[in-house]
Amino acid sequence: MKKTIQILGIALVSLVVSCTQKDKNPEVNPKTDPMAIQTPVDSTKMNSVAGADNSENSLDWDGTYEATVPCADCPGIKTTLVLNKDKTFKITEEYLERNSKNEDTGMFVWDSTGSIITLNGKTSKYKYKVGENTLT
């Protein structure tokens, strides 16, 4: 069964701040003020709960994934990634309308949440979020 790799775009959001200052030293209570600056949480570094379902233990993630991903100076890069149960991979990247093809093999590791893999090949250092029949 062939699966797909999804590429997500990143959107940039600008905030406009008023030029008038209402209070030089306002008191901010981060527990009660929804506008208070809070430290972001990196969900990829959180420990997973023992026995909790995640992509690693709940999905059929092994198999072949194919997609054509964007390329800066060509029509696209046809990418084929094979993930094996023994945590090895093979990736092939073929640049469309060129005579250029890259292949790499290696091992991949799961993050502590069991939802993201990192390819560790000779040249491949990609990270993918694993979903049902998809990689993002």
Side-chain angles (χ1 to χ4, degrees):
M1 174 169 52
K2 299 212 180 197
K3 303 173 184 188
T4 61
I5 302 171
Q6 298 177 353
I7 303 299
L8 296 179
I10 298 175
L12 178 62
V13 178
S14 299
L15 297 176
V16 178
V17 179
S18 173
C19 293
T20 59
Q21 186 175 11
K22 295 179 183 176
D23 187 358
K24 286 189 174 188
N25 295 311
E27 288 187 29
V28 176
N29 183 344
K31 292 183 180 178
T32 60
D33 187 349
M35 297 305 289
I37 297 174
Q38 300 195 8
T39 306
V41 176
D42 184 353
S43 64
T44 64
K45 298 194 190 258
M46 295 171 47
N47 291 330
S48 59
V49 178
D53 289 337
N54 58 40
S55 298
E56 180 180 10
N57 65 25
S58 298
L59 301 178
D60 294 326
W61 48 262
D62 61 309
T64 301
Y65 296 82
E66 291 183 330
T68 300
V69 297
C71 176
D73 57 355
C74 70
I77 305 167
K78 181 180 177 191
T79 304
T80 303
L81 174 59
V82 179
L83 299 178
N84 300 304
K85 283 248 185 228
D86 64 357
K87 298 184 182 173
T88 60
F89 75 89
K90 178 181 180 183
I91 189 167
T92 304
E93 299 169 302
E94 183 178 351
Y95 290 77
L96 301 178
E97 296 182 8
R98 290 191 189 168
N99 289 331
S100 180
K101 186 176 188 179
N102 298 324
E103 292 186 341
D104 196 9
T105 59
M107 302 289 294
F108 65 89
V109 294
W110 289 91
D111 74 339
S112 62
T113 68
S115 62
I116 296 174
I117 61 169
T118 302
L119 305 184
N120 291 314
K122 294 173 191 153
T123 59
S124 300
K125 303 293 181 205
Y126 302 122
K127 287 188 179 201
Y128 293 101
K129 180 165 179 50
V130 179
E132 187 67 46
N133 296 318
T134 66
L135 296 178
T136 304

